[in-house]
Structure formats: C-alpha cells, structure tokens
Amino acid sequence: MNLLPGPAAPATLPSHLNPAHIDAGNRTLAEMQELATSLTFAAMLTDDGFEIVHLNGATTDGGRFASMSSSVQALSDAVAHELKIGTNEYVIIASELGHVIQLRVQGHPIVLAALFDTHETLGKGLSIARIAARRMAQLMA
Amino acid sequence: MAEHVVLFAGPMGSGKTTAIRSLSEIEVVSTEAANTDRATADKETTTVALDYGEITIDDVTKVRLYGVPGQKRFDFMWSILAGRARGLLLLINNDAPESIALLLQYLADFHELHARGAVVIGVTKSDVRESPTVADYSAALTAKFPEQLIPVFTVDPRNAEEMRTLLLTLVASVEMRELLAPAPEKI
C-alpha cells in the first residue's frame, strides 16, 4: 500500500465536502479493490448518511446505499447499547448473492460499507474491510 | 390493553426526537449521528434511522411512538415505519422556508398512511417566526383536502403537556376511524 499521506484536511469541512477526506477515501477504496476482486461496491460515508466516495458505482445508487448504511449502522449501535454488550464493532448482512460488511473508521464519524460477492468468505471480507478502515484513519491523521 | 402505533414525521429540526423524549415513559431508543448538514438545520445531531418511545394513556392504551428521520434521503425508513402505523403526527417548524408547501409535501409523501389513518399537525417554533398562523395552515389544508378536518396546533415539543394534547387528539382520531371502518364481510 502507498503510505504517502494525502493533502491536509481542513477540520471544519464536512467529510463529504472535504477534498482531503475525499482523496483519502478514493485511495483507500482503490487499494481495497486490489486486495479483493470480489468487492462489487464500496463506499465511505458520514455518520449522517452522506456519501464521501464510492467504488464501482455503475449498478448501485451510491447516495441511497450511503443513507441505508448510515441507518443500519445507527440501528446496530442502538441494539448494542440497549443490550449493554459494549461498542458495536462491525455489521454484517449475509445474503444469498453477496454480503455487506460495514464498520467505523476509528476516531472519525465515518463508516466504511463494502459489498462483496459470494466468492469472498465473510472472514476474508471482514479482514479486508478492517485493513481499509485502518488505512483510511491513517490517511486522515 | 389496546395498542396504537403512531409516527412522528416532519422536516429536519422540527422537533420530532424532542417530542418523543417529552412523551415517552421509557428511555427513548435513538439513532442520532453527528449532523454535517448545518445549512438545513443548525443542530449538533440528527436522526438517521428512528426514535422509539412508549406511553400509556389512561392505564388502558399503550401508544408506541416512532420517529422517522426528517431528510428525504432516508425515505426508505419512512416506508418501513409508516407501514405499521395508524396515526401520523406531523411536525412542521414555522421558521422553515415555504412551510405550508412543505407541510403539503410531507402529507403527499405519507399519503398512504394519511389515507388509511389519522393525521394531526403540530406547528413548532412559532415563537421564532409568527407567520404563517394556524389559520393559514388550516386554510391550506381545507383547500387541499376539503372533505377532511385535519387538526392543527401550535406546540412546543419540549412541553410534555402540549405534546400529550396532540397525541390524545391523534389517538382519538385513530380510534374514531377504527370504529367507523366498515366491518369485514362474513364468508
């Protein structure tokens, strides 16, 4: 992976309007694609559901996906809170023809959501998503 | 015990989460995220999935209170939650641009629930901006839905008593509609 940092990010701009965060997101998702050809769609989004960047968006409505991922993330957080089982680490939606894995970029109000086809095991998909989330945090530091 | 499900809808910043917190007897389940859309509503957080609370009325009726996100981009949550509701409590912040048109737009967005359930309107932030008045909203609603009487109140979502008045009005309307509904045909 290319470890050169991207341009400095002005702290006041929301991430979906922040060129530095957009650049970091694009670099992270491109590197993620190199690790997993089964990655059919991926997006970085703000906690409140604005898409920062996406990858492979020819057949997926990125804005819609970002909004739904935001809701799913918040609902999962609420369930973990309600059941007093600690912090929600990641969300998996395993379906017949693919699976969605999403998790937060640590230290930032940003969620990484990735759709893999069924050629990827859940374990490997999760591992790749974790690497990408760490990479995004690193680029934004 | 009878149960009703009501939906709190309306624009971002109209006070839906606050209203449910004012009414609920249980700790409200909230799904708030840091708000990056300060141009639309200058507040710290915004609801991205739902709010959920409960209240018991007169010891015999439980009302489940669901709040939906205000922004249109979350309209999939509107459909999911509207499907289970029988009443719509629509909050409109009076300081919103074109607030009457906005009210009519939200009624159109929830037309399916409006058609089969009851609706009550709460106008919030009328202390921030005095017009339109309740009479203005009522006139617009009467023009749009001449066959219906849709109650309109000014309300402070932080005030539990005011919110309770709205909710009781809505529950009474829901129960009235259920009483007047034609009985299912016998087979």
Side-chain angles (χ1 to χ4, degrees):
Chain A
M1 286 187 173
N2 175 11
L3 293 178
L4 289 174
T12 51
L13 269 182
S15 289
H16 60 287
L17 303 176
N18 187 321
H21 292 185
I22 292 169
D23 179 64
N26 278 325
R27 291 170 66 181
T28 302
L29 295 187
E31 291 170 8
M32 196 177 176
Q33 178 78 90
E34 288 174 15
L35 295 173
T37 52
S38 58
L39 183 67
T40 54
F41 183 80
M44 294 281 181
L45 51 123
T46 63
D47 263 5
D48 61 341
F50 286 102
E51 181 188 282
I52 303 168
V53 290
H54 72 253
L55 182 82
N56 299 344
T59 58
T60 305
D61 180 341
R64 186 89 169 157
F65 184 82
S67 298
M68 296 189 101
S69 296
S70 164
S71 298
V72 166
Q73 189 72 35
L75 280 170
S76 307
D77 291 348
V79 170
H81 174 78
E82 193 73 14
L83 297 177
K84 299 181 174 60
I85 54 174
T87 305
N88 173 31
E89 293 185 7
Y90 52 84
V91 179
I92 291 177
I93 301 169
S95 297
E96 198 179 350
L97 300 177
H99 27 262
V100 176
I101 297 173
Q102 59 182 73
L103 69 168
R104 288 185 189 282
V105 174
Q106 198 166 15
H108 300 276
I110 292 175
V111 174
L112 164 64
L115 169 63
F116 296 89
D117 67 27
T118 47
H119 292 104
E120 204 69 77
T121 64
L122 276 174
K124 189 177 175 197
L126 179 58
S127 172
I128 290 166
R130 280 176 158 159
I131 290 169
R134 278 200 299 271
R135 173 66 171 146
M136 181 69 176
Q138 185 184 35
L139 288 172
M140 292 174 68
Chain B
M1 179 179 277
E3 282 203 3
H4 296 296
V5 174
V6 301
L7 200 68
F8 287 63
M12 184 181 181
S14 59
K16 302 176 291 297
T17 300
T18 304
I20 291 176
R21 285 182 178 159
S22 294
L23 285 166
S24 181
E25 295 163 347
I26 64 165
E27 186 185 352
V28 172
V29 176
S30 287
T31 57
E32 292 195 280
N35 173 32
T36 62
D37 186 11
R38 292 299 185 96
T40 302
D42 190 17
K43 56 179 193 164
E44 291 292 322
T45 61
T46 187
T47 300
V48 294
L50 56 80
D51 295 308
Y52 175 75
E54 292 176 2
I55 185 172
T56 308
I57 298 170
D58 301 332
D59 295 331
V60 293
T61 306
K62 178 183 272 191
V63 185
R64 299 185 184 276
L65 316 166
Y66 284 91
V68 295
Q71 302 100 311
K72 180 81 176 168
R73 67 180 190 280
F74 291 107
D75 62 359
F76 54 91
M77 289 302 306
W78 301 1
S79 311
I80 292 168
L81 295 175
R84 64 179 61 188
R86 290 290 178 272
L88 174 64
L89 203 156
L90 190 49
L91 296 178
I92 292 289
N93 44 314
N94 215 32
D95 62 342
E98 305 288 338
S99 58
I100 289 178
L102 195 58
L103 165 65
L104 297 176
Q105 181 57 54
Y106 272 86
L107 282 173
D109 289 332
F110 288 92
H111 67 92
E112 191 272 335
L113 174 55
H114 181 194
R116 65 176 163 77
V119 179
V120 170
I121 310 295
V123 179
T124 65
K125 298 186 180 173
S126 54
D127 55 332
V128 177
R129 189 171 155 205
E130 291 181 1
S131 64
T133 63
V134 166
D136 295 331
Y137 285 102
S138 291
L141 289 167
T142 302
K144 184 74 177 177
F145 307 103
E147 76 289 358
Q148 277 189 299
L149 179 64
I150 300 178
V152 183
F153 297 79
T154 56
V155 68
D156 181 343
R158 298 166 295 185
N159 186 313
E161 278 309 307
E162 289 183 22
M163 285 312 308
R164 195 175 164 87
T165 301
L166 249 74
L167 185 67
L168 291 174
T169 305
L170 182 62
V171 169
S173 301
V174 168
E175 290 178 344
M176 184 66 76
R177 283 189 75 118
E178 287 175 355
L179 282 172
L180 295 175
E185 285 182 26
K186 289 181 181 171
I187 299 172

